[in-house]
Amino acid sequence: MISTLLPHKSAGSSLRLRYKMSIPILRILQDYASTEDPSSIPPSVRLRHTATTLTIFDKYPKASYHFLILPRINNDAGWTKERLTDLRTLLLKWDKSSAKELLKNLEAEAEEVKSMIKDEMRKSHGLSESSDGWGVNVGFHAVPSMLHVHLHVISSDYVSASLKNKKHYNSFNPELGFFLNLKDVMSWFELPDGEFKKMASLPASQFEPLLKKPLQCWRCDTTFPNIPKLKEHLQDHLNKEVKMLKRKRKREVQDDEETTEKPEENEDEPEHKKVNTDA
């Protein structure tokens, strides 16, 4: 159902400075990940779960589709809340093979969620069954705002009432560097140990200044003086992309109709000789 993937109606900001966030809010993801029976989590919060992951709606989505995939806490298996505090802790304080296995679980779940998003794009906008819709980005914030490792699965339109300021946008801009694509993170495991540790250290001093960079469209590099202007521009991009995808769908329907209406040739009927008009 289309309503399954609709974001929450509440407004606000999921990216806040740590000292402004209360402890209960800071730990809410840990609470969800600790739930022994995820099916008890309200459907307004939980999208789906597996034996190792829990996928929830981002309460304040920064795009048309925005979800968080959490590794579930399992003390018996060694996946404690301390071990899963954030990406840096996961990568540096525990063995690489276990960390890689956990990330691969998140990656597999992300593919499932992406598939659901693409399906909803097709249904809600009347796109072709073969259409891939528009982009979906999968990655982490270099400096997270909440406790517990969480992977963002977010559509690339960045059209949302909850996207309200420069930090919101820049934290998800896929070209800026604060948003770490999951595939890039996975590639770190192929590096020598020294390089791996350097990449995984994720110093706040390196990444937090990126949030103050000018507002720049990730698609066309146009710079904007304020968030309303940028949001209007992003909406235009989305409108054009959907319009283009709908035109493609219309052409496919017309081609199908022409193919259906074209009479089939009777292979058993002998070919008529051409009339020589020059005689």
Side-chain angles (χ1 to χ4, degrees):
M1 295 176 60
I2 293 176
S3 59
T4 303
L5 299 188
L6 291 178
H8 288 263
K9 293 182 179 179
S10 27
S13 163
S14 63
L15 183 68
R16 303 175 184 175
L17 295 177
R18 291 179 179 178
Y19 63 82
K20 288 186 177 181
M21 185 175 285
S22 67
I23 294 300
I25 295 176
L26 188 67
R27 293 179 177 168
I28 189 65
L29 298 185
Q30 282 185 340
D31 292 343
Y32 286 139
S34 300
T35 305
E36 291 187 11
D37 179 15
S39 61
S40 65
I41 298 174
S44 59
V45 175
R46 179 183 63 87
L47 175 68
R48 51 179 276 142
H49 70 277
T50 68
T52 57
T53 65
L54 169 66
T55 300
I56 63 174
F57 293 85
D58 191 298
K59 189 175 183 180
Y60 305 111
K62 300 303 184 292
S64 298
Y65 304 94
H66 189 181
F67 301 93
L68 306 179
I69 303 178
L70 320 176
R72 292 175 60 186
I73 291 173
N74 185 336
N75 292 325
D76 293 337
W79 294 110
T80 64
K81 66 179 182 180
E82 290 79 16
R83 189 175 185 181
L84 299 174
T85 300
D86 53 31
L87 181 62
R88 182 179 183 278
T89 301
L90 172 68
L91 296 178
L92 292 181
K93 296 190 177 181
W94 304 93
D95 66 280
K96 288 171 64 175
S97 60
S98 294
K100 185 176 182 179
E101 178 184 355
L102 182 140
L103 291 182
K104 287 182 75 69
N105 288 337
L106 298 184
E107 184 177 42
E109 176 63 7
E111 288 302 313
E112 294 293 330
V113 176
K114 281 178 65 176
S115 180
M116 295 177 71
I117 291 174
K118 297 290 185 178
D119 188 51
E120 291 299 335
M121 287 177 177
R122 288 188 285 268
K123 290 178 181 178
S124 60
H125 293 282
L127 307 182
S128 165
E129 287 299 317
S130 63
S131 174
D132 205 29
W134 56 96
V136 176
N137 294 322
V138 178
F140 301 96
H141 280 158
V143 184
S145 59
M146 302 182 75
L147 295 175
H148 199 75
V149 176
H150 53 285
L151 179 67
H152 294 269
V153 182
I154 181 170
S155 56
S156 62
D157 52 87
Y158 305 111
V159 171
S160 171
S162 297
L163 195 148
K164 295 187 172 183
N165 56 51
K166 180 184 288 189
K167 289 182 180 179
H168 289 172
Y169 176 72
N170 282 347
S171 69
F172 287 103
N173 183 336
E175 302 298 323
L176 199 58
F178 190 89
F179 186 84
L180 307 173
N181 189 286
L182 176 59
K183 291 189 181 301
D184 291 336
V185 175
M186 295 300 293
S187 72
W188 298 350
F189 289 94
E190 308 304 318
L191 299 173
D193 283 349
E195 286 297 311
F196 174 83
K197 291 178 180 178
K198 180 179 179 181
M199 297 299 292
S201 63
L202 301 173
S205 59
Q206 174 185 338
F207 290 98
E208 287 185 336
L210 298 176
L211 299 177
K212 299 178 181 180
K213 291 280 187 178
L215 290 169
Q216 189 173 54
C217 175
W218 72 271
R219 293 172 181 262
C220 64
D221 295 335
T222 304
T223 302
F224 295 89
N226 54 55
I227 203 71
K229 292 289 185 183
L230 172 64
K231 291 180 69 171
E232 181 180 349
H233 177 79
L234 294 173
Q235 181 69 66
D236 286 343
H237 270 303
L238 177 59
N239 293 344
K240 290 176 183 177
E241 187 156 16
V242 170
K243 187 176 181 180
M244 178 190 69
L245 293 169
K246 284 185 175 181
R247 282 200 303 265
K248 180 181 178 182
R249 168 60 174 164
K250 186 176 181 180
R251 287 196 300 268
E252 290 178 354
V253 171
Q254 290 173 341
D255 290 343
D256 289 342
E257 289 176 348
E258 290 175 4
T259 302
T260 303
E261 293 173 1
K262 184 178 180 180
E264 295 184 4
E265 294 182 2
N266 189 341
E267 295 181 358
D268 296 330
E269 185 177 336
E271 231 182 272
H272 291 288
K273 293 182 180 180
K274 294 181 180 179
V275 177
N276 189 348
T277 58
D278 296 330

